[in-house]
């Protein structure tokens, strides 16, 4: 069943009002019709309650229909307005529509059919206008929301930028602190190491065996501490981009053998076999012997540290003229595949518990990785838990000169 329509008829002529009412009823509408005779009453009535459509005479006693249409729209009353014009008033139809009338109908053509058509049409147009206005309103609102969100994002971006600057500064201060602290600590430590070595010299036999043992321990601990400090110092240099390569022509087997021999006593202490295999077609390379030694020492120290029984081996080969490969293999505890990437991150250790068995800073592999990358090489790990690990380092036979190397130094993984 159709809903009852509230219709306002504005006309000072009673017969005309009745014609409109009757025609609409005849057309089959359920209606509630309110009738007024002039503009003033019309405005008051329209402000009091809503209507589904308004039929207004163009010629009204207090002012014309055009003014009324303008006034209704000006005060923001939303309702379909159909103007009933007299014969000869059609030319003002355009002005009426511009002013906000929904439609117009010449009085002489009023019939129940024409009125029904105009009413339905006016309500449809009005409905479409309302929907468009609503959609527009929503668009405006979401636009405003977007502008607001954008402003918030911009504020957040600025805050992040400020945080970033602070973080970079904090990180710089931390690296500086690490560098200064390890440097300052090294001076007294070198004195401790130097004097204990002096006291342990074979010529001086004035020490009791117990005292000699104590001094040996001071020396061992001092050297351990120095190695740690050097690691921290190197790390802070890497972070600050101040670690450089001093390449020279080297005989690879000499560097490798000498380094392995340095580590032999550590392997012996744990009764591990330490083997070296050199398989080079061309013996020379162009690299920084100290940094290459450092890479090897880090890998060997780990291999020995994380192996309780079996063997550690180093093999050097040159798969091509421009490439050198160093493989350090052990039969130790191994590394789970999900840790392969993490172990190269600074301060990362697989076992980070307080009760961990193996000492260390967690910087060795981070520094090694950076050094290898400075040499424009690569490092890979392959490992099986409980069976052992293999670290494969591939390097160009001739590493880049310092400026190029520093430029290629990427941040630590
Ligand atoms: P650190 O040895 O000082 O702990 P590293 O950066 O050298 O730090 O190594 C990071 C971690 O990688 C080690 O703590 C260890 O968990 C793992 N790792 C490195 N080398 C080996 C290895 N040969 N066998 C087993 N685990 C290893």
């Amino acid at each position: 069943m159709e809903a009852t329509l509230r219709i306002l008829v504005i006309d000072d002529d009673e017969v005309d009002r009745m014609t409109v009412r009757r025609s609409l009823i005849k057309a089959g509408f359920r209606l509630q019709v309110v009738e007024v005779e002039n503009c003033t009453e019309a405005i008051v009535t329209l402000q009091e309650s809503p209507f589904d459509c308004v039929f207004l005479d163009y010629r009204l006693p207090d002012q014309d229909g055009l003014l009324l249409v303008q006034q209704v729209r000006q005060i923001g009353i939303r309702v379909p307005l159909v103007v009933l014009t007299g014969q000869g008033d059609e030319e003002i139809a355009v002005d009426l529509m511009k002013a906000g009338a929904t439609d117009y109908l010449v009085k002489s053509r009023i019939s129940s059919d024409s009125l029904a058509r105009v009413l339905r049409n006016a309500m449809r147009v009005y409905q479409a206008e309302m929907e468009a206005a609503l959609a527009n309103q929503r668009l405006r609102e979401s636009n405003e929301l977007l502008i607001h969100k954008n402003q918030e994002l911009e504020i957040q971006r600025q805050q992040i930028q400020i945080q970033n600057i602070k973080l970079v500064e904090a990180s710089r201060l931390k690296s500086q602190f690490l560098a200064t602290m390890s440097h300052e600590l090294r001076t007294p430590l070198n004195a401790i190491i130097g004097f204990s070595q002096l006291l342990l010299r074979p010529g001086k036999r004035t020490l009791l065996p117990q005292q000699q043992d104590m001094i040996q321990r001071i020396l061992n601990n001092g050297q351990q501490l120095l190695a740690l400090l050097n690691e921290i110092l190197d790390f802070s240099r890497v972070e600050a981009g101040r670690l450089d390569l001093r390449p020279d022509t080297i005989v690879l087997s000499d560097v490798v053998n000498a380094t392995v021999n340095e580590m032999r006593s550590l392997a012996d202490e744990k009764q591990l076999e330490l083997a070296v295999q050199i398989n080079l077609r061309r013996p020379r390379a162009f690299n920084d012997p100290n940094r290459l030694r450092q890479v090897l020492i880090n890998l060997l120290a780990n291999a020995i540290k994380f192996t309780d029984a079996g063997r550690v081996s180093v093999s050097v080969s040159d798969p091509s003229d421009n490439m050198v490969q160093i493989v350090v293999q052990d039969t130790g505890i191994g590394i789970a595949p999900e840790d392969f990437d993490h172990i190269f991150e600074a301060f990362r250790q697989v076992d980070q518990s307080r009760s961990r068995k193996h000492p260390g800073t967690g910087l060795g592999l981070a520094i090694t990785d950076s050094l290898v990358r400075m040499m424009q090489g690569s490092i890979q790990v392959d490992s099986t838990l409980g069976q052992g690990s293999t670290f494969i380092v591939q390097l160009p036979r001739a590493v880049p000169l310092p400026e190029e190397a520093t430029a290629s130094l990427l941040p630590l993984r």
Side-chain angles (χ1 to χ4, degrees):
M1 195 166 76
E2 270 193 87
T4 306
L5 298 178
R6 271 175 58 76
I7 304 291
L8 176 65
V9 182
I10 311 166
D11 202 323
D12 54 331
D13 186 327
E14 198 184 342
V15 178
D16 285 354
R17 292 202 304 265
M18 197 175 63
T19 313
V20 172
R21 187 174 1 113
R22 284 199 177 152
S23 305
L24 286 173
I25 290 170
K26 195 172 161 210
F29 290 104
R30 283 163 59 90
L31 296 175
Q32 187 193 345
V33 180
V34 177
E35 295 175 16
V36 295
E37 293 183 21
N38 56 50
C39 293
T40 321
E41 272 180 66
I43 293 285
V44 174
T45 314
L46 279 169
Q47 279 176 325
E48 270 170 9
S49 53
F51 285 88
D52 293 299
C53 190
V54 175
F55 289 93
L56 65 121
D57 185 11
Y58 176 67
R59 295 185 186 281
L60 287 164
D62 44 354
Q63 63 186 49
D64 69 26
L66 181 62
L67 265 176
L68 180 60
V69 169
Q70 282 168 340
Q71 214 175 343
V72 168
R73 293 311 184 208
Q74 227 163 39
I75 52 182
I77 296 171
R78 298 181 160 212
V79 65
L81 295 173
V82 178
V83 186
L84 304 172
T85 61
Q87 201 71 46
D89 288 336
E90 293 97 320
E91 56 270 26
I92 47 91
V94 176
D95 293 339
L96 283 168
M97 302 300 274
K98 273 190 195 160
T102 317
D103 208 345
Y104 72 97
L105 185 64
V106 179
K107 274 189 175 177
S108 58
R109 289 201 208 125
I110 287 182
S111 67
S112 60
D113 276 358
S114 63
L115 263 188
R117 186 171 35 76
V118 167
L119 174 61
R120 285 207 179 90
N121 199 37
M123 287 198 303
R124 216 176 13 245
V125 168
Y126 175 75
Q127 176 75 19
E129 274 172 9
M130 287 302 98
E131 277 165 15
L134 194 70
N136 254 344
Q137 171 71 13
R138 289 206 180 120
L139 215 64
R140 261 199 307 277
E141 279 168 8
S142 58
N143 209 18
E144 272 161 27
L145 201 73
L146 274 178
I147 291 172
H148 184 67
K149 286 259 172 269
N150 250 353
Q151 285 167 342
E152 273 179 8
L153 275 177
E154 176 58 17
I155 292 171
Q156 276 176 6
R157 196 191 62 79
Q158 284 174 1
Q159 279 169 347
I160 289 172
Q161 206 172 10
I162 293 170
Q163 291 292 341
N164 245 352
I165 294 170
K166 283 188 187 157
L167 276 177
V168 169
E169 179 59 7
S171 166
R172 195 189 62 77
L173 285 175
K174 185 206 69 187
S175 302
Q176 199 177 11
F177 170 74
L178 281 179
T180 317
M181 187 207 62
S182 32
H183 190 77
E184 290 302 312
L185 286 176
R186 274 205 314 181
T187 316
L189 198 56
N190 277 328
I192 294 169
I193 291 171
F195 285 123
S196 8
Q197 279 169 334
L198 210 63
L199 285 170
L200 287 171
R201 268 199 195 154
K204 307 236 181 315
R205 283 280 169 245
T206 46
L207 295 174
L208 296 171
Q210 205 189 359
Q211 289 170 324
Q212 202 166 341
D213 183 50
M214 283 168 154
I215 295 169
Q216 185 64 52
R217 284 205 208 171
I218 294 175
L219 178 61
N220 292 348
N221 281 296
Q223 278 169 336
Q224 227 176 345
L225 207 55
L226 186 63
L228 283 180
L229 283 179
N230 282 340
E231 219 165 55
I232 294 176
L233 196 61
D234 272 347
F235 172 69
S236 59
R237 283 197 190 122
V238 168
E239 273 207 320
R242 278 196 282 119
L243 199 84
D244 52 357
L245 286 182
R246 293 179 190 176
D248 205 346
T249 303
I250 55 169
V251 175
L252 269 169
S253 56
D254 287 355
V255 176
V256 174
N257 279 323
T259 313
V260 172
N261 284 336
E262 273 181 61
M263 304 300 284
R264 194 164 294 282
S265 62
L266 280 182
D268 289 348
E269 265 173 37
K270 295 180 80 176
Q271 293 170 338
L272 300 174
E273 185 193 337
L274 179 57
V276 190
Q277 203 187 359
I278 311 266
N279 188 7
L280 289 167
R281 283 173 292 175
R282 289 170 57 197
R284 280 172 221 286
F286 185 70
N287 202 330
D288 181 331
N290 290 321
R291 295 301 178 196
L292 189 59
R293 173 181 161 275
Q294 200 177 351
V295 167
L296 256 177
I297 286 198
N298 282 343
L299 294 178
L300 276 171
N302 279 344
I304 296 169
K305 184 161 69 175
F306 294 105
T307 305
D308 291 331
R311 108 193 258 272
V312 171
S313 71
V314 183
S315 65
V316 187
S317 60
D318 45 1
S320 73
D321 270 2
N322 328 328
M323 188 61 82
V324 172
Q325 180 169 284
I326 302 172
V327 179
V328 178
Q329 199 164 21
D330 65 57
T331 54
I333 60 170
I335 305 160
E338 62 267 25
D339 290 321
F340 284 2
D341 276 342
H342 301 312
I343 56 171
F344 293 99
E345 289 167 11
F347 301 111
R348 276 295 202 124
Q349 296 171 312
V350 172
D351 179 5
Q352 299 209 292
S353 64
R354 278 171 142 257
S355 57
R356 71 200 159 91
K357 265 173 55 190
H358 308 284
T361 53
L363 290 175
L365 284 181
I367 295 170
T368 304
D369 180 53
S370 289
L371 285 174
V372 168
R373 285 198 280 166
M374 269 178 82
M375 294 171 185
Q376 295 196 344
S378 66
I379 182 165
Q380 280 171 41
V381 59
D382 189 16
S383 185
T384 309
L385 272 182
Q387 287 187 19
S389 311
T390 307
F391 284 83
I392 303 157
V393 177
Q394 291 194 311
L395 299 171
R397 186 181 294 276
V399 301
L401 288 165
E403 316 79 65
E404 302 166 41
T406 320
S408 74
L409 183 63
L410 303 164
L412 283 168
R413 272 207 256 181

